[in-house]
Amino acid sequence: MPITFQSMVALVVDLDGKLINDIYCQDPKYKVEELHICVFPLENSTIVMMFIDSTDKRYRSFYKKFNTLSLKEQLSIINYIIFLYSEEMFLSKDLSNEVLQNQNLLYASKQTGLAVSKNYNMDAIKEAKKIYDLSRASEVPCLLDQKYKIR
């Protein structure tokens, strides 16, 4: 695959738009729970892993619904999360400009950090839930799809 990635992200919402991590919570006892994602392209295959700490409970509904999806849908969600939440991926120089200039991909990749705010209020949470909504995953080219594999 034309993408390499290894990092942790703190999902704001699950696949139904329900809050997972309140990124504005000021309570020092509140623990943001992180999702670990790894994409390791090898010579003839790619390893894609996603996991959480076994003590993290707020991802239950996310994983429950995620596990009901087809492999293609799962890869699309993982791909979207990577672009929506991180800037730390490595892309192949062999990706076409058509893919790199895809408007939905550019939109997703520009959302990283947009929800950062010093003002904690319900409007900020609503906006963050809207920004990090995962329902648009299928609109972004899924670089984990076979059609993008490097030959």
Side-chain angles (χ1 to χ4, degrees), residues 135-146:
S135 67
R136 296 184 62 190
S138 63
E139 299 172 14
V140 171
C142 180
L143 301 185
L144 302 174
D145 191 295
Q146 286 289 330

Side-chain angles (χ1 to χ4, degrees), residues 26-132:
Q26 302 292 317
D27 184 348
K29 294 178 185 175
Y30 184 83
K31 177 186 175 252
V32 171
E33 296 179 356
E34 295 177 323
L35 178 70
H36 302 258
I37 301 175
C38 306
V39 178
F40 301 126
L42 306 172
E43 189 172 334
N44 295 313
S45 62
T46 298
I47 296 172
V48 178
M49 294 185 290
M50 185 170 72
F51 56 95
I52 58 171
D53 185 302
S54 62
T55 62
D56 291 349
K57 304 301 180 210
R58 292 195 303 264
Y59 282 96
R60 282 184 183 157
S61 67
F62 172 80
Y63 265 111
K64 188 175 183 180
K65 185 162 185 179
F66 183 83
N67 287 332
T68 66
L69 302 174
S70 69
L71 177 60
K72 184 175 181 165
E73 291 169 316
Q74 289 176 347
L75 292 174
S76 179
I77 294 289
I78 293 169
N79 178 77
Y80 192 61
I81 289 170
I82 290 170
F83 283 99
L84 195 60
Y85 282 89
S86 181
E87 297 173 346
E88 300 173 9
M89 79 284 295
F90 293 93
L91 300 175
S92 170
K93 63 181 179 170
D94 296 331
L95 272 172
S96 71
N97 279 337
E98 179 183 338
V99 172
L100 295 173
Q101 297 303 317
N102 177 284
Q103 292 304 303
N104 292 322
L105 182 65
L106 291 172
Y107 172 83
S109 64
K110 290 178 181 177
Q111 300 312 304
T112 305
L114 270 187
V116 175
S117 173
K118 294 179 182 175
N119 299 323
Y120 177 79
N121 61 47
M122 291 309 289
D123 289 336
I125 293 171
K126 278 186 196 175
E127 186 63 23
K129 287 173 80 173
K130 192 166 77 173
I131 289 169
Y132 292 107

